[in-house]
Amino acid sequence: MSSSAEPVIDANLAVALDALLTEQSVTRAAARLHTSPAAMSRTLARLRRILQDPLLVRAGQAMVPTPRAQDLREETAVLVRRLGALLAPGAGVDPADLRSTFTLQAADLVGAALAPGMSVLARQEAPGISLRFRAEEMEAGSALRDGRIDLEIGSIDHVDPETRIEELVTLRMAAAVRPGHPLTEGTLTPERLAAAEHVVVSRRGRFTGPLDAALAELNLRRRVAVVLPGHLAAMTLAAGSDIVCLVPTAPPGGGASPLTDVATALGLRLLDIPLALPPLIIGMAWHPRHAADGGHHWLRDAVRRTLRDPGGSPATSPTRTPGVGATELPVGDGALRDEEGPSWA
């Protein structure tokens, strides 16, 4: 049984042939391709062997193309232009031309904060796209790798080697209570905070988190009355009862953010926690196959603009209301996953 080898295609030969047929000079073709005349002469000899035609022949002091070379000239020029377009860096994408569905994975509070602002940006800049928000999984790394989600936003706690991660905002936790809650009167101490009933947000059903570790250092323990899987349900519960929930907010001097819009809508009062708690860093993660994609670039930029620059007025420093001891916080930055774990996840 005999078999013939596949021909080896060298695109450089097509580029050299185009230069030779255009310039009709080995020296000028070499200069055009930034190589030496000797190297171009060797390339011409190779082309002659492959095509079995002299291609360029001397006529006095000049070189003229053969009939075969004249037939190849236009076709070669077109091929080289197509190769140039094929191998050129990707052109920028006009968001208005996008026709895509982007899938984002985020906690319910993050999704509630992102959806309104990103929908406005999409209508203004990329009306052909759709946004699909998915609830968080225990591990998003495989979903990013498999292409089931385009972007993960939240407290990124998985460290897959290939995952690209960008930090967006740094937050602190506040105690959220209904108006008229007993904790809004007088000074909020660790003892009073521990004595109140709490709701914990945990996808895994855990009862403890960083707040419990901080209280334990003072030999205090809070009572957790309810564990819920989502922040919106926990905030709704706190708004209608004496139960305390934790809500992320901006550090002092932080700007306003849509991530506390739900707390504002529910009328919750945010109280400064008199304990040293670890900060919460909200970021976004994506697979490197999307790094240079124009549509995904718009998506990431839209998330940045929605979380970092929502258009609200800057938050003011914490103020103490006359006659009230508890320090209330302004509505500011915030987003989280779960309350448990070193990253509240």
Side-chain angles (χ1 to χ4, degrees):
M1 181 180 296
S2 62
S3 62
S4 58
E6 291 290 334
V8 177
I9 300 175
D10 187 346
N12 289 321
L13 288 177
V15 175
L17 179 60
D18 177 56
L20 285 164
L21 298 183
T22 300
E23 300 294 342
Q24 296 185 22
S25 163
V26 170
T27 302
R28 290 195 298 271
R32 177 174 174 173
L33 298 184
H34 306 288
T35 187
S36 67
M40 184 57 69
S41 181
R42 290 192 296 271
T43 300
L44 175 58
R46 185 181 174 190
L47 285 165
R48 285 168 170 167
R49 289 194 302 272
I50 293 173
L51 297 174
Q52 298 182 7
D53 188 272
L55 298 175
L56 293 173
V57 296
R58 188 163 296 281
Q61 297 298 316
M63 298 189 78
V64 296
T66 64
R68 177 74 189 281
Q70 290 177 332
D71 291 340
L72 291 173
R73 183 172 178 176
E74 183 177 350
E75 184 178 352
T76 303
V78 171
L79 175 61
V80 170
R81 286 198 298 270
R82 289 179 177 173
L83 281 172
L86 176 65
L87 300 177
V93 172
D94 185 349
D97 296 332
L98 292 174
R99 299 293 183 270
S100 303
T101 295
F102 292 115
T103 302
L104 300 86
Q105 180 171 294
D108 57 352
L109 183 58
V110 180
L114 285 173
M118 292 190 67
S119 295
V120 170
L121 289 176
R123 285 195 299 270
Q124 294 174 345
E125 303 172 11
I129 72 133
S130 298
L131 299 172
R132 173 169 52 201
F133 285 86
R134 281 184 45 174
E136 290 184 304
E137 297 180 355
M138 294 301 178
E139 287 296 339
S142 60
L144 288 169
R145 188 182 305 116
D146 299 341
R148 287 178 282 126
I149 63 174
D150 296 297
L151 199 61
E152 178 191 5
I153 306 105
S155 176
I156 311 299
D157 55 6
H158 56 83
V159 190
D160 298 320
E162 73 272 20
T163 302
R164 305 284 180 87
I165 298 175
E166 177 182 335
E167 295 182 1
L168 296 171
V169 290
T170 299
L171 313 169
R172 60 173 174 162
M173 305 306 292
V177 297
R178 64 169 179 80
H181 191 284
L183 291 183
T184 62
E185 300 293 333
T187 301
L188 180 60
T189 63
E191 290 77 13
R192 294 185 67 205
L193 182 62
E197 288 192 324
H198 291 253
V199 56
V200 167
V201 176
S202 172
R203 292 168 298 151
R204 300 176 177 89
R206 296 176 181 172
F207 277 75
T208 59
L211 177 57
D212 299 279
L215 290 170
E217 293 183 2
L218 301 176
N219 294 319
L220 296 173
R221 182 177 180 180
R222 64 172 171 167
R223 162 157 168 70
V224 175
V226 182
V227 177
L228 291 171
H231 307 94
L232 301 183
M235 293 166 71
T236 302
L237 176 62
S241 69
D242 282 342
I243 288 181
V244 179
C245 75
L246 298 188
V247 172
T249 188
S257 169
L259 289 162
T260 46
D261 284 352
V262 175
T264 302
L266 291 172
L268 290 171
R269 309 266 297 268
L270 303 185
L271 308 178
D272 193 11
I273 296 175
L275 294 164
L277 299 178
L280 174 67
I281 298 175
I282 298 302
M284 59 181 171
W286 64 95
H287 194 273
R289 66 171 169 271
H290 296 306
D293 179 73
H296 204 278
H297 184 273
W298 178 89
L299 176 67
R300 300 194 301 269
D301 186 60
V303 171
R304 290 186 198 101
R305 286 184 284 163
T306 302
L307 290 184
R308 292 176 178 170
D309 186 21
S313 58
T316 58
S317 300
T319 57
R320 188 179 297 273
T321 304
V324 177
T327 300
E328 291 197 41
L329 299 174
V331 175
D333 268 327
L336 75 166
R337 238 187 205 190
D338 290 354
E339 185 180 322
E340 79 240 6
S343 61
W344 304 94

